[in-house]
């Protein structure tokens, strides 16, 4: 295990978690800014959708390959490369004179984030002492929770205040100082080892995973607004074929991208399922809520940002208690959090339009945020605690991949549910939130399954750190 001097050790978490912050902040920041982008750049509906989708597309598709690149060429080197690409792309996107330039900038941002994300978990696993690793993973989860909600909140505030007339561009530039600071402090990260460069990258597996995930994510993000034309179904069929080929190639490759033992532990498979399903509800919940508040309720971006602030406050509170709950209740805390989110999903449409029930709406959002914070701050911790050391790098790529794929699926299916009654916003929100409740109930079922497996293996796991 890599050791660091005391000053470097104190800087390690702030540096790498700044990467987590800018990654997830950039997923959600444009949710409240897309209307202003349309007006400022004259973007059509398809271009506006690509502004939102391009980032997620590049991010999700590059994670598995990036995890292996970090293992081969060094975690610090790949983290710095990813942060540099992300920061430069952010500047370019903020200065975009036309929609296609913004879309290209968002794609490059996504690739930069994809390079960074697996390295963060790998650095925690390799450079943080075992006694402090659980706390570091909890901080990682708390940062994910805060960043996911800071996007629409801070984005709404900046768009409404319009500093220097920048509008949505100011929201896009918010990550640039964070990136510059992380790059300036990056020498404090543990040094890379040159011998890693001798390892080979499975090029066949890399190509199959990249193109397979791209052909999966792109039609899911663009298909609904395009009316599901023939090319979306062809893309999905090709994605299934390529991803099946990827799975087969990993069994035969001499140096597979995904270590075989990554799938050997049933608890890891259950954990990836939990992350996938839970995130099929979370991003779509906040996205639909933001769209409904600005559309059906007629709220401004600033009002919308403050309208979901109780959710953000609850998430911070939940992140703060996640470690204690995870230590005492382990996967049961994940199940309870998912059930809480499901209950909140049914309360929101019943209260959002009634001023007399506004207090109940705020309270429900706060409780939902607590559930989100507890889950996000402890899920990765509990899953990684069950991973074999040789599979840690692979799981560092698989977990954020499951997170992003879940989010993409959720936005698609929740959007379909909302669109079934688009002429009646109140009913449309009910349909979408019923979908959310069902997804969170399924995530709870996965967590109960993981809890059962943990209970059966408890004697053999004595002394292992769960959280």
């Amino acid at each position: 295990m890599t050791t660091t001097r005391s000053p470097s050790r104190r800087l390690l978490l702030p540096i790498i978690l700044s990467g987590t912050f800018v990654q997830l902040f950039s997923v959600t920041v444009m949710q409240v800014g897309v209307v202003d982008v349309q007006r400022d750049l004259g973007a059509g509906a398809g271009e506006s959708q690509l502004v939102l989708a391009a980032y997620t597309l590049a991010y999700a598709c590059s994670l598995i390959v990036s995890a292996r690149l970090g293992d081969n060429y060094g975690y610090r080197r790949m983290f710095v490369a990813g942060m540099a690409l992300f920061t430069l792309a952010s500047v370019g996107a903020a200065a975009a004179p036309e929609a296609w330039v913004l879309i290209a900038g968002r794609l490059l941002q996504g690739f930069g984030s994809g390079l960074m994300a697996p390295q963060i978990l790998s650095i925690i696993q390799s450079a943080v002492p075992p006694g402090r690793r659980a706390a570091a993973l909890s901080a990682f989860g708390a940062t994910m929770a805060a960043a996911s909600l800071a996007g629409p909140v801070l984005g709404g505030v900046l768009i409404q205040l319009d500093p220097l007339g920048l509008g949505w561009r100011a929201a896009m530039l918010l990550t640039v100082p964070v990136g510059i600071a992380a790059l300036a402090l990056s020498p404090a990260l543990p040094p890379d080892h040159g011998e890693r460069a001798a390892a080979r990258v499975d090029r066949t597996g890399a190509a199959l995973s990249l193109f397979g995930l791209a052909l999966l994510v792109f039609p899911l993000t663009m298909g609904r607004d395009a009316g599901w034309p023939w090319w979306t179904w062809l893309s999905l069929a090709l994605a299934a074929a390529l991803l099946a080929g990827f799975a087969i190639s990993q069994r035969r490759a001499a140096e597979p991208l995904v270590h075989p033992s990554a799938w050997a532990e049933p608890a890891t498979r259950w954990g990836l399922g939990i992350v996938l399903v839970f995130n099929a509800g979370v991003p779509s919940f906040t996205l639909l809520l933001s769209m409904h508040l600005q559309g059906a309720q007629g709220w401004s971006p600033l009002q919308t940002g403050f309208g979901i602030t109780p959710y953000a406050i609850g998430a911070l509170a939940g992140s703060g208690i996640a470690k204690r709950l995870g230590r005492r209740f382990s996967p049961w805390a994940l199940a309870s959090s998912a059930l809480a989110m499901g209950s909140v999903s049914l309360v929101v449409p019943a209260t959002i339009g009634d001023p007399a029930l506004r207090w109940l709406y705020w309270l429900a959002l706060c409780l939902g945020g607590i559930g989100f914070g507890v889950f996000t701050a402890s899920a990765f911790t509990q899953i990684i605690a069950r991973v074999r050391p040789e599979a840690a790098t692979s799981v560092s790529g698989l977990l954020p991949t499951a997170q992003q794929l879940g989010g993409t699926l959720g936005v698609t299916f929740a959007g379909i549910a909302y669109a079934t009654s688009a002429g009646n916003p109140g009913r449309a929100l009910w349909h979408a939130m019923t979908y959310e409740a069902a997804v969170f109930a399924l995530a709870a079922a996965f967590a109960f399954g993981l809890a059962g497996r943990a209970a059966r293996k408890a004697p053999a796991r004595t002394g292992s750190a769960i959280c």
Side-chain angles (χ1 to χ4, degrees):
M1 182 183 67
T2 303
T3 59
T4 60
R5 295 179 183 270
S6 181
S8 299
R9 184 175 297 172
R10 288 195 296 268
L11 289 172
L12 188 147
L13 278 182
I15 295 169
I16 61 175
L17 294 185
S18 69
T20 301
F21 179 84
V22 299
Q23 291 159 21
L24 295 175
F25 179 88
S26 296
V27 172
T28 57
V29 69
M30 292 307 294
Q31 290 178 1
V32 295
V34 69
V35 174
D36 289 72
V37 169
Q38 287 178 314
R39 182 172 56 249
D40 187 25
L41 301 182
E47 291 173 316
S48 300
Q49 185 65 19
L50 277 174
V51 168
L52 296 173
Y55 180 87
T56 303
L57 175 68
Y59 185 18
C61 296
S62 57
L63 287 162
I64 294 176
V65 176
S66 297
R68 187 52 190 255
L69 289 175
D71 207 30
N72 286 1
Y73 301 113
Y75 306 137
R76 182 171 74 177
R77 186 176 292 119
M78 290 297 103
F79 178 87
V80 169
M83 182 63 85
L85 177 60
F86 176 91
T87 304
L88 288 173
S90 298
V91 174
E98 297 181 28
W100 71 267
V101 179
L102 176 57
I103 293 167
R106 293 284 284 171
L107 274 170
L108 291 175
Q109 276 187 314
F111 281 120
S113 289
L115 275 177
M116 279 191 287
Q119 322 314 330
I120 295 167
L121 285 172
S122 295
I123 289 172
I124 290 175
Q125 287 292 98
S126 63
V128 176
R132 298 178 59 242
R133 198 171 296 157
L137 288 169
S138 294
F140 169 76
T143 304
M144 286 198 297
S148 297
L149 297 172
V153 174
L154 294 181
V157 170
L158 287 171
I159 290 168
Q160 188 72 26
L161 295 179
D162 196 21
L164 302 176
L166 292 173
W168 62 269
R169 300 176 192 272
M172 186 69 68
L173 286 170
L174 196 61
T175 59
V176 173
V178 179
I180 292 173
L183 290 171
L185 295 172
S186 61
L189 295 176
D192 297 322
H193 298 288
E195 63 270 14
R196 284 177 173 157
R200 292 169 44 188
V201 175
D202 175 18
R203 295 181 181 178
T204 300
L208 289 171
S209 67
L210 282 170
F211 287 109
L213 289 170
L215 289 171
L216 174 64
V217 172
F218 187 73
L220 288 176
T221 54
M222 300 296 296
R224 181 175 62 85
D225 289 337
W228 298 106
W230 64 269
W231 62 262
T232 59
W233 301 107
L234 176 61
S235 179
L236 291 172
L238 289 173
L242 289 176
L243 292 176
F246 171 70
I248 294 172
S249 73
Q250 294 306 282
R251 297 179 180 179
R252 300 176 178 177
E255 297 284 346
L257 289 176
V258 179
H259 197 280
S261 65
W263 302 107
E265 179 61 61
T268 304
R269 297 196 296 270
W270 276 91
L272 289 170
I274 293 171
V275 170
L276 176 72
V277 175
F278 186 81
N279 282 279
V282 169
S284 54
F285 177 84
T286 54
L287 174 61
L288 286 171
L289 188 56
S290 298
M291 292 174 59
H292 187 81
L293 290 174
Q294 291 187 79
Q297 300 296 315
W299 291 19
S300 69
L302 180 62
Q303 289 174 311
T304 300
F306 283 120
I308 61 174
T309 296
Y311 190 68
I313 293 172
L316 291 175
S319 300
I321 63 175
K323 182 180 178 182
R324 186 177 304 171
L325 289 176
R327 185 185 296 117
R328 293 189 62 185
F329 303 109
S330 198
W332 301 106
L334 302 182
S336 300
S337 300
L339 290 175
M341 287 289 296
S343 300
V344 168
S345 299
L346 298 177
V347 173
V348 165
T351 58
I352 194 171
D354 189 344
L357 296 176
R358 191 60 53 82
W359 66 272
L360 185 56
Y361 166 75
W362 301 127
L363 178 61
L365 274 190
C366 187
L367 293 175
I370 291 173
F372 170 67
V374 169
F375 187 99
T376 307
S378 56
F380 279 28
T381 307
Q382 295 186 32
I383 295 166
I384 289 176
R386 296 169 169 81
V387 172
R388 300 179 185 182
E390 65 271 17
T393 297
S394 295
V395 176
S396 295
L398 290 172
L399 280 172
T401 301
Q403 186 181 44
Q404 291 304 308
L405 288 180
T408 301
L409 290 168
V411 169
T412 299
F413 294 139
I416 291 172
Y418 191 91
T420 57
S421 298
N424 186 332
R427 184 179 300 172
L429 186 63
W430 267 110
H431 288 172
M433 290 300 167
T434 300
Y435 158 83
E436 299 286 344
V439 166
F440 289 127
L442 182 58
F446 270 91
F448 283 130
L450 180 62
R453 290 183 177 276
R456 287 193 294 271
K457 288 194 172 187
R461 294 271 183 177
T462 302
S464 64
I466 297 298
C467 194

